[in-house]
Amino acid sequence: MEDKIREHIYLAALLHDIGKFYQRADKGSVGKSKFLSEYCKSESTFCPLYKGSYSHKHVLWTAQFIEDNMEVFRNLVGSDFADLTDKNNLINLSAGHHLAEEQISVLGRLIKKADCLSSGMDRSSDIAMKDAQDEEESGWDSF
C-alpha cells in the first residue's frame, strides 16, 4: 500500500459520506436494513458514542458500500481488505471518520480533519454530535 498511499487517502476521503446516499436508499433502521451485512451493522466499530447512544450511523452504509465494491477498490488502491484490524484499511479510514482521534490512525485523522474543515464547523461541539438517527420510525435517517 505504501506506493499508493496518496490514492488510498484520496479514495477514502472521497467515499467517507457515500453512506448517506446508501442509507437513504434503504427502507429501515440499522436493525431492519436490507443492505447492511452483520459486520457493517457493528455500530461500536464505526459509530461514535454520544451520551450513551451511537450516532452518525451513515458510516455503517459507507462501510457496506465499500464492502460491496471491494474488488473495484482493491484494483484501484491495491489494498488488502481481509485485515479489518488495520486502521488504515479503506473501510476503516472512510467509515471511521467520526470516531474519536484516539480510535483512528494518523491517516484517519487527516480524513476527519478534512471533513470538519469542509463542513465549516467544529465537530467536537454538542450541536455537531447531536444525531437523531435510528429512532426506529422517525428520524432514523436524519443527518
Side-chain angles (χ1 to χ4, degrees), residues 2-61:
E2 288 181 30
D3 59 330
K4 290 192 169 188
I5 194 78
R6 185 176 298 209
E7 289 84 2
H8 193 82
I9 295 168
Y10 291 164
L11 185 59
L14 179 68
L15 295 173
H16 81 280
D17 275 344
I18 194 72
K20 289 181 180 181
F21 297 102
Y22 216 35
Q23 180 183 14
R24 287 180 177 151
D26 208 340
K27 294 288 184 198
S29 62
V30 172
K32 295 178 182 177
S33 171
K34 63 182 181 180
F35 294 134
L36 293 176
S37 67
E38 286 308 308
Y39 172 73
C40 291
K41 286 182 180 179
S42 178
E43 294 172 293
S44 63
T45 301
F46 301 113
C47 298
L49 193 59
Y50 179 69
K51 294 187 178 182
S53 297
Y54 292 105
S55 65
H56 298 83
K57 295 186 181 179
H58 67 277
V59 299
L60 302 174
W61 280 265

Side-chain angles (χ1 to χ4, degrees), residues 74-125:
R74 184 176 288 133
N75 290 335
L76 287 172
V77 296
S79 180
D80 178 15
F81 286 79
D83 183 7
L84 295 173
T85 63
D86 179 3
K87 289 185 177 183
N88 288 325
N89 182 300
L90 185 64
I91 290 174
N92 292 329
L93 285 176
S94 294
H97 68 280
H98 288 296
L99 295 172
E101 292 210 4
E102 60 272 5
Q103 294 177 281
I104 56 180
S105 69
V106 173
L107 299 181
R109 290 182 196 134
L110 287 172
I111 294 165
K112 180 180 182 75
K113 185 67 171 177
D115 184 42
C116 290
L117 291 171
S118 70
S119 70
M121 66 186 290
D122 176 13
R123 299 233 180 203
S124 62
S125 70

